[in-house]
Amino acid sequence: MSQNTPGHSRGLKKTHKATIAGVAALGAAALTLSLVPGNGSTETEPQALNTTQRVAWSYDASSPQAKALAASVTDQHTTIGLKAKQDAAAKAQAQAAAKAKAAKAEKAAKAAKAKAAAKAKADAAAKKRAAEAKAAAKKRAAQKTAASRSVTRTPVFANNLDGWIREALYIMDKHNIPGSYHGLHKNIMRESSGNPYAINNWDINARNGVPSKGLLQVIYPTFKAYHVPGTKFDQYDPVANIVAAANYAADRYGSIDNVNSAY
């Protein structure tokens, strides 16, 4: 088993290998081998070396060969270092490009998601508006149909006191005028005994030139002020007379039902 020298690494880096190779070459080029005989004399003919003869060698660092070799090794070191820096820079550039690409892709994905969400929201709002418009149109159509049916179903009332009171109540209901059949009937019987052409020519109103007329004995100023559109503008018209009188009584007494005497 071989042992490593303490303090030294087992492996050699590229730079170490290049340096060793350079030094080896330098040594080989600069070696001056001198075969010196044991007695120091120079022979013109080569002689075989024996075991007692010594090989003398020397290394001259200042020689042109040594300097050239050293420069070559330095250049090799510089080239290796530059290549390492270039590789590191290329790797860093590639990593930065990959990071930028990933960030761009993430940004695009977020933008697409936001756009899709906005579109979904807009579609939902449009769908809601369409549904509301459809519901409103349906409601208007239903109201129109109901109104049309109401017109076609307008009851036909008899041309007598019962029919006049019922028709008056029908109109009063449309105009939110309070009153009942009983309240109208009792006041009509007290005021005119059911005669739509009854007239009072003896009270204070008559003396003032505005006699009370009709089923509920209404004077002209009151009839004019409380006349309800849709009825005839005629004090002697039984339905118009009842509705105007009931409208006046509602304004002054709360309802014709609250009237039990001259009003």
Side-chain angles (χ1 to χ4, degrees), residues 77-133:
H77 288 180
T78 302
T79 301
I80 293 171
L82 181 60
K83 182 67 169 55
K85 288 182 179 180
Q86 289 175 343
D87 291 344
K91 184 177 180 181
Q93 186 176 6
Q95 289 176 342
K99 187 175 181 181
K101 185 177 180 180
K104 185 177 180 180
E106 184 179 1
K107 184 178 180 181
K110 286 182 179 179
K113 186 177 180 180
K115 185 177 180 180
K119 186 177 184 303
K121 185 176 180 181
D123 290 344
K127 187 175 180 181
K128 182 180 179 181
R129 287 194 298 270
E132 289 175 348

Side-chain angles (χ1 to χ4, degrees), residues 177-191:
I177 300 171
S180 66
Y181 186 99
H182 174 72
L184 291 173
H185 187 270
K186 73 174 182 178
N187 281 287
I188 288 172
M189 297 309 295
R190 187 187 67 250
E191 294 292 333

Side-chain angles (χ1 to χ4, degrees), residues 39-161:
N39 56 6
S41 62
T42 303
E43 298 290 339
T44 57
E45 294 294 332
Q47 297 180 359
L49 294 175
N50 57 34
T51 57
T52 60
Q53 291 178 319
R54 297 187 305 170
V55 177
W57 63 276
S58 63
Y59 168 70
D60 187 0
S62 63
S63 67
Q65 295 86 348
K67 289 181 179 181
L69 185 58
S72 176
V73 172
T74 301
D75 289 342
Q76 290 180 20
H77 288 180
T78 302
T79 301
I80 293 171
L82 181 60
K83 182 67 169 55
K85 288 182 179 180
Q86 289 175 343
D87 291 344
K91 184 177 180 181
Q93 186 176 6
Q95 289 176 342
K99 187 175 181 181
K101 185 177 180 180
K104 185 177 180 180
E106 184 179 1
K107 184 178 180 181
K110 286 182 179 179
K113 186 177 180 180
K115 185 177 180 180
K119 186 177 184 303
K121 185 176 180 181
D123 290 344
K127 187 175 180 181
K128 182 180 179 181
R129 287 194 298 270
E132 289 175 348
K134 185 176 180 180
K138 186 176 180 180
K139 183 177 180 181
R140 287 194 299 270
Q143 290 174 341
K144 186 176 181 180
T145 302
S148 178
R149 288 176 180 174
S150 177
V151 171
T152 57
R153 288 202 303 259
T154 300
V156 178
F157 302 98
N159 188 25
N160 54 32
L161 182 59

Side-chain angles (χ1 to χ4, degrees), residues 218-227 232-235 240-241 244:
V218 183
I219 63 175
Y220 179 76
T222 300
F223 177 82
K224 181 179 180 181
Y226 290 94
H227 173 261
K232 293 181 180 179
F233 195 82
D234 181 359
Q235 282 178 269
N241 187 282

